[in-house]
Amino acid sequence: MSRIKAEYLWLDGCKPTAKLRSKTKILEGAVSRLEDIPVWGFDGSSTEQAVGHASDCLLQPVHFVPDPIRGGEHILVMCEVLTAEGMPHVSNTRARLRQEATRTAPQEPWFGIEQEYTMIKNGKPLGWPADGYPRPQGDFYCGVGSEMVSGRPLVEAHMEACLKAGLKIAGVNAEVMLGQWEFQIGPVPPLRVGDELWIARWLLLRLGEDMGIDISLAPKPVAGDWNGTGAHTNFSTRAMRDSGGLTTVDTACRALSTAHEKHIAVYGAGNEARLTGKHETCSITQFRYGVSDRGASIRIPIFTAKAGCGYLEDRRPAANMDPYQVCAMLLETACK
């Protein structure tokens, strides 16, 4: 009988931004379904999720994929955190998304998330000079050549790992600031996009370990005239995607305008440094939407406007946002 390495992944209770944790369990025999993976435990007092005299928390497997780093039959297991009594832990943001996904399932919501990130080496973005700054941004977006981009080996390794894991990765590109990159997950249903984005983030961090590169999801990694780092969230329902759906897109945008502050509250800590009204953002204190407007809170893509149906892009979420919370909020507001 084969012995399988199962890497259990979960979100800790750190505030204001939860971090990924993981540990390995050896399973006896190959895994073919979720029920083959047992519930496990961990020390919640070491992850800001329990106190020392009652430290046990549970890991409930909810999604698994092949482990592209270890290969073979080994797996990565995304988990929800439960209390010792088996109830969703207060830090378990996936539990709320489960409720919203069930409620809105007849509307067939899809999500696609554009995850930007910054590679860091020796405390500075990768490729930046030891002293001072690179030339002003402008040449780096989707750049090619050693003077235009830094970190492509990690980007390629990460993309290949996502493909081997069966994640719905849609593409990668160099971003506006040198050392800043992006990958996209989706379009897929809400729970899947959250699970796969967290797994993709874990793979990026783990591969960065091997290359000595840190990964920052800070919304504004460098102060000054440099782009921030976001996680633009593309969203649609069946009604938006069907013929004539532009009317439904407009209705959703109007609904989103009434809950701006509620959304901003879960769109990432430190987002005020990014949402300034500059560098392709709308001010954090304003809400507006428009066709092809990358300075708006919500952009309606030109393809959606021309076709009369499609999706909207919420440009407000920061790179460090929790996709479970962002997706739940969009479903709550736009799918009344």
Side-chain angles (χ1 to χ4, degrees), residues 131-151:
D131 298 310
Y133 300 88
R135 64 182 180 278
Q137 59 188 24
D139 294 336
F140 308 126
Y141 173 70
C142 295
V144 179
S146 59
E147 293 186 354
M148 302 299 177
V149 298
S150 293

